[in-house]
Short mmCIF file of all heavy atoms in Angstrom, two decimals:
data_model
loop_
_atom_site.label_atom_id
_atom_site.label_comp_id
_atom_site.label_asym_id
_atom_site.label_seq_id
_atom_site.Cartn_x
_atom_site.Cartn_y
_atom_site.Cartn_z
N GLN A 188 34.85 -42.83 19.68
CA GLN A 188 35.79 -42.98 20.76
C GLN A 188 36.35 -44.36 20.82
O GLN A 188 35.69 -45.37 20.49
CB GLN A 188 34.96 -42.80 22.09
CG GLN A 188 35.83 -42.56 23.23
CD GLN A 188 35.06 -41.71 24.30
OE1 GLN A 188 34.06 -41.20 24.10
NE2 GLN A 188 35.67 -41.67 25.51
N LEU A 189 37.74 -44.43 21.12
CA LEU A 189 38.36 -45.70 21.34
C LEU A 189 38.73 -45.74 22.81
O LEU A 189 39.08 -44.76 23.41
CB LEU A 189 39.71 -45.76 20.60
CG LEU A 189 39.73 -45.42 19.05
CD1 LEU A 189 41.11 -45.55 18.51
CD2 LEU A 189 38.69 -46.26 18.30
N VAL A 190 38.67 -46.99 23.43
CA VAL A 190 38.99 -47.15 24.80
C VAL A 190 40.02 -48.24 24.97
O VAL A 190 39.73 -49.31 24.42
CB VAL A 190 37.77 -47.45 25.62
CG1 VAL A 190 38.03 -47.37 27.11
CG2 VAL A 190 36.66 -46.50 25.35
N PHE A 191 41.05 -47.96 25.72
CA PHE A 191 42.01 -49.02 26.03
C PHE A 191 42.13 -48.99 27.60
O PHE A 191 42.25 -47.98 28.13
CB PHE A 191 43.45 -48.67 25.44
CG PHE A 191 43.46 -48.66 23.96
CD1 PHE A 191 43.11 -47.38 23.30
CD2 PHE A 191 43.67 -49.71 23.19
CE1 PHE A 191 43.13 -47.29 21.96
CE2 PHE A 191 43.65 -49.64 21.79
CZ PHE A 191 43.41 -48.42 21.14
N PHE A 192 42.34 -50.24 28.17
CA PHE A 192 42.40 -50.37 29.62
C PHE A 192 43.75 -50.93 30.08
O PHE A 192 44.39 -51.62 29.28
CB PHE A 192 41.29 -51.30 30.21
CG PHE A 192 39.95 -50.77 29.98
CD1 PHE A 192 39.10 -51.19 29.03
CD2 PHE A 192 39.41 -49.78 30.84
CE1 PHE A 192 37.76 -50.67 28.82
CE2 PHE A 192 38.15 -49.30 30.70
CZ PHE A 192 37.33 -49.73 29.73
N GLY A 193 44.07 -50.69 31.40
CA GLY A 193 45.08 -51.52 32.11
C GLY A 193 46.42 -51.32 31.37
O GLY A 193 46.85 -50.29 30.91
N HIS A 194 47.15 -52.59 31.22
CA HIS A 194 48.47 -52.52 30.63
C HIS A 194 48.35 -52.19 29.13
O HIS A 194 49.39 -51.92 28.54
CB HIS A 194 49.11 -53.90 30.77
CG HIS A 194 49.31 -54.24 32.27
ND1 HIS A 194 49.96 -53.46 33.19
CD2 HIS A 194 48.81 -55.30 33.01
CE1 HIS A 194 49.98 -53.97 34.39
NE2 HIS A 194 49.28 -55.11 34.31
N GLY A 195 47.14 -52.34 28.56
CA GLY A 195 47.08 -52.10 27.14
C GLY A 195 47.12 -50.61 26.72
O GLY A 195 46.93 -50.34 25.52
N VAL A 196 47.35 -49.71 27.63
CA VAL A 196 47.32 -48.25 27.28
C VAL A 196 48.69 -47.78 26.80
O VAL A 196 48.69 -46.80 26.10
CB VAL A 196 46.85 -47.35 28.46
CG1 VAL A 196 45.46 -47.84 28.96
CG2 VAL A 196 47.77 -47.30 29.59
N HIS A 197 49.77 -48.39 27.19
CA HIS A 197 51.11 -47.84 26.98
C HIS A 197 51.41 -47.55 25.52
O HIS A 197 51.77 -46.46 25.01
CB HIS A 197 52.20 -48.64 27.65
CG HIS A 197 51.96 -48.87 29.11
ND1 HIS A 197 51.67 -47.81 29.92
CD2 HIS A 197 51.76 -50.02 29.73
CE1 HIS A 197 51.48 -48.34 31.16
NE2 HIS A 197 51.49 -49.67 31.09
N LYS A 198 51.30 -48.61 24.62
CA LYS A 198 51.72 -48.54 23.30
C LYS A 198 50.78 -47.58 22.55
O LYS A 198 51.32 -46.64 21.86
CB LYS A 198 51.65 -49.98 22.61
CG LYS A 198 52.24 -50.02 21.22
CD LYS A 198 52.45 -51.43 20.83
CE LYS A 198 52.93 -51.53 19.40
NZ LYS A 198 51.88 -51.86 18.46
N PRO A 199 49.41 -47.66 22.58
CA PRO A 199 48.65 -46.71 21.90
C PRO A 199 48.83 -45.27 22.31
O PRO A 199 48.77 -44.33 21.51
CB PRO A 199 47.17 -47.21 22.13
CG PRO A 199 47.25 -48.20 23.17
CD PRO A 199 48.70 -48.78 23.22
N HIS A 200 49.14 -45.15 23.66
CA HIS A 200 49.35 -43.76 24.11
C HIS A 200 50.54 -43.09 23.49
O HIS A 200 50.50 -41.92 23.20
CB HIS A 200 49.54 -43.81 25.69
CG HIS A 200 49.55 -42.45 26.33
ND1 HIS A 200 50.40 -42.07 27.25
CD2 HIS A 200 48.76 -41.37 26.09
CE1 HIS A 200 50.16 -40.80 27.57
NE2 HIS A 200 49.21 -40.31 26.87
N LYS A 201 51.58 -43.89 23.18
CA LYS A 201 52.78 -43.39 22.53
C LYS A 201 52.52 -43.11 21.04
O LYS A 201 53.07 -42.20 20.43
CB LYS A 201 54.00 -44.37 22.68
CG LYS A 201 54.73 -44.10 23.96
CD LYS A 201 56.00 -44.91 24.00
CE LYS A 201 55.89 -46.19 24.68
NZ LYS A 201 56.96 -47.13 24.72
N GLU A 202 51.68 -44.01 20.40
CA GLU A 202 51.53 -44.02 18.98
C GLU A 202 50.33 -43.18 18.40
O GLU A 202 50.44 -42.53 17.42
CB GLU A 202 51.41 -45.38 18.44
CG GLU A 202 52.64 -46.22 18.66
CD GLU A 202 52.53 -47.61 18.07
OE1 GLU A 202 51.34 -48.18 17.96
OE2 GLU A 202 53.54 -48.21 17.74
N LEU A 203 49.25 -43.15 19.21
CA LEU A 203 48.08 -42.49 18.69
C LEU A 203 48.10 -41.03 19.08
O LEU A 203 47.27 -40.59 20.01
CB LEU A 203 46.81 -43.15 19.16
CG LEU A 203 46.69 -44.68 18.65
CD1 LEU A 203 45.43 -45.33 19.27
CD2 LEU A 203 46.68 -44.77 17.15
N LEU A 204 48.87 -40.30 18.40
CA LEU A 204 48.97 -38.81 18.82
C LEU A 204 48.04 -38.03 17.81
O LEU A 204 47.76 -38.41 16.71
CB LEU A 204 50.43 -38.35 18.55
CG LEU A 204 51.51 -39.17 19.31
CD1 LEU A 204 52.90 -38.81 18.84
CD2 LEU A 204 51.33 -39.06 20.78
N PRO A 205 47.56 -36.85 18.34
CA PRO A 205 46.68 -36.03 17.53
C PRO A 205 47.24 -35.76 16.18
O PRO A 205 48.44 -35.53 16.04
CB PRO A 205 46.53 -34.72 18.34
CG PRO A 205 46.71 -35.21 19.75
CD PRO A 205 47.72 -36.29 19.70
N GLY A 206 46.46 -35.92 15.11
CA GLY A 206 46.87 -35.70 13.73
C GLY A 206 47.31 -36.95 13.05
O GLY A 206 47.35 -37.02 11.82
N ARG A 207 47.61 -38.05 13.84
CA ARG A 207 47.98 -39.32 13.17
C ARG A 207 46.72 -39.98 12.46
O ARG A 207 45.66 -39.93 12.99
CB ARG A 207 48.44 -40.30 14.32
CG ARG A 207 49.86 -40.20 14.69
CD ARG A 207 50.80 -40.76 13.62
NE ARG A 207 52.17 -40.58 13.84
CZ ARG A 207 52.94 -41.51 14.43
NH1 ARG A 207 52.37 -42.59 15.00
NH2 ARG A 207 54.22 -41.29 14.65
N GLN A 208 47.08 -40.64 11.36
CA GLN A 208 45.96 -41.36 10.72
C GLN A 208 46.26 -42.78 10.73
O GLN A 208 47.45 -43.21 10.70
CB GLN A 208 46.03 -40.93 9.22
CG GLN A 208 44.65 -41.24 8.62
CD GLN A 208 44.71 -40.81 7.02
OE1 GLN A 208 45.56 -40.06 6.66
NE2 GLN A 208 43.76 -41.26 6.26
N ALA A 209 45.24 -43.67 10.92
CA ALA A 209 45.50 -45.10 11.01
C ALA A 209 44.28 -45.78 10.65
O ALA A 209 43.11 -45.31 10.49
CB ALA A 209 45.82 -45.41 12.50
N MET A 210 44.51 -47.21 10.51
CA MET A 210 43.28 -48.07 10.32
C MET A 210 43.01 -48.73 11.57
O MET A 210 43.90 -49.13 12.31
CB MET A 210 43.64 -49.18 9.28
CG MET A 210 43.44 -48.85 7.84
SD MET A 210 43.25 -50.26 6.78
CE MET A 210 44.81 -51.03 6.90
N PHE A 211 41.68 -48.71 11.93
CA PHE A 211 41.32 -49.33 13.29
C PHE A 211 40.28 -50.44 13.02
O PHE A 211 39.41 -50.17 12.11
CB PHE A 211 40.60 -48.27 14.21
CG PHE A 211 41.50 -47.14 14.46
CD1 PHE A 211 41.55 -45.99 13.59
CD2 PHE A 211 42.40 -47.13 15.56
CE1 PHE A 211 42.44 -44.92 13.92
CE2 PHE A 211 43.22 -46.00 15.82
CZ PHE A 211 43.26 -44.93 15.01
N ALA A 212 40.37 -51.53 13.76
CA ALA A 212 39.40 -52.59 13.61
C ALA A 212 38.81 -53.06 14.94
O ALA A 212 39.64 -53.20 15.87
CB ALA A 212 39.94 -53.75 12.84
N GLY A 213 37.58 -53.14 15.07
CA GLY A 213 37.00 -53.69 16.27
C GLY A 213 35.42 -53.71 16.21
O GLY A 213 34.87 -53.42 15.17
N LYS A 214 34.80 -54.04 17.28
CA LYS A 214 33.37 -54.24 17.27
C LYS A 214 32.72 -52.91 17.89
O LYS A 214 33.16 -52.43 18.90
CB LYS A 214 32.95 -55.44 18.18
CG LYS A 214 31.48 -55.74 17.95
CD LYS A 214 31.20 -57.02 18.78
CE LYS A 214 29.73 -57.35 18.60
NZ LYS A 214 29.39 -58.55 19.45
N VAL A 215 31.79 -52.38 17.15
CA VAL A 215 31.13 -51.08 17.55
C VAL A 215 30.13 -51.38 18.73
O VAL A 215 29.22 -52.25 18.58
CB VAL A 215 30.34 -50.50 16.39
CG1 VAL A 215 29.79 -49.13 16.75
CG2 VAL A 215 31.27 -50.27 15.14
N SER A 216 30.36 -50.68 19.76
CA SER A 216 29.35 -50.83 20.92
C SER A 216 28.93 -49.36 21.29
O SER A 216 29.41 -48.37 20.76
CB SER A 216 30.02 -51.49 22.06
OG SER A 216 31.17 -50.85 22.50
#
Side-chain angles (χ1 to χ4, degrees):
Q188 195 153 349
L189 311 180
V190 190
F191 300 88
F192 293 102
H194 299 304
V196 305
H197 305 304
K198 188 166 178 259
H200 189 223
K201 274 193 262 175
E202 294 182 335
L203 298 178
L204 305 173
R207 277 285 178 92
Q208 197 181 347
M210 276 203 293
F211 300 89
K214 191 174 179 183
V215 183
S216 58

